[in-house]
Amino acid sequence: MTEQQTPTPLEGDALELAKLKAGLTAGLTPAQSARLIGADEATLIADAAALVAEFTPSTLAPPAVRSGGDRGPDVQGTAGTVAGGAAAYRRKHGLDEDGNRPSTTKPLPTSTRNPFAEPAYRMESR
């Protein structure tokens, strides 16, 4: 008959090394691995697996709602390319192909009259 061996309890540096090994194998950081509880490797491995399972979400959170709705509906006809987006931006803001605004400047006034001068103002000499 085979005898069942009882695991020998670890102590000191061997215990710290076993904690680190069990924690890193389970995906824990060294700081998290130092908090594992157990006296032998099997107990430490089970504790590390339980800790990882506790911190792993069982269901994913729903995606956050974007303020203002989905992005890009005004660019859908351009297959989402950068050039298509730039063309849509130019159309929306009234720019030509070079990105300049069309010339709609008012002609300069032809009179030499000062528009800020008060008509009733006169200089008097003494």
Side-chain angles (χ1 to χ4, degrees):
M1 288 187 99
T2 59
E3 290 183 31
Q4 191 151 359
Q5 294 180 348
T6 59
T8 57
L10 300 172
E11 294 178 357
D13 291 339
L15 179 61
E16 296 302 318
L17 182 62
K19 285 182 179 183
L20 185 62
K21 183 179 174 185
L24 292 177
T25 303
L28 299 174
T29 65
Q32 293 168 332
S33 299
R35 295 174 179 254
L36 294 177
I37 298 171
D40 59 5
E41 284 189 46
T43 310
L44 292 172
I45 290 171
D47 190 34
L51 186 62
V52 168
E54 189 173 326
F55 285 119
T56 303
S58 58
T59 59
L60 296 177
V65 178
R66 290 182 169 179
S67 175
D70 291 334
R71 305 300 193 266
D74 58 339
V75 189
Q76 285 180 352
T78 59
T81 63
V82 173
Y89 180 85
R90 285 192 302 268
R91 279 193 310 274
K92 182 176 181 181
H93 295 285
L95 304 175
D96 62 8
E97 289 298 316
D98 295 327
N100 300 322
R101 297 203 185 280
S103 179
T104 58
T105 59
K106 295 180 181 179
L108 294 174
T110 56
S111 78
T112 56
R113 185 178 80 78
N114 183 354
F116 301 106
E118 296 180 19
Y121 181 76
R122 290 186 308 164
M123 294 269 295
E124 294 182 16
S125 61
R126 289 191 194 202

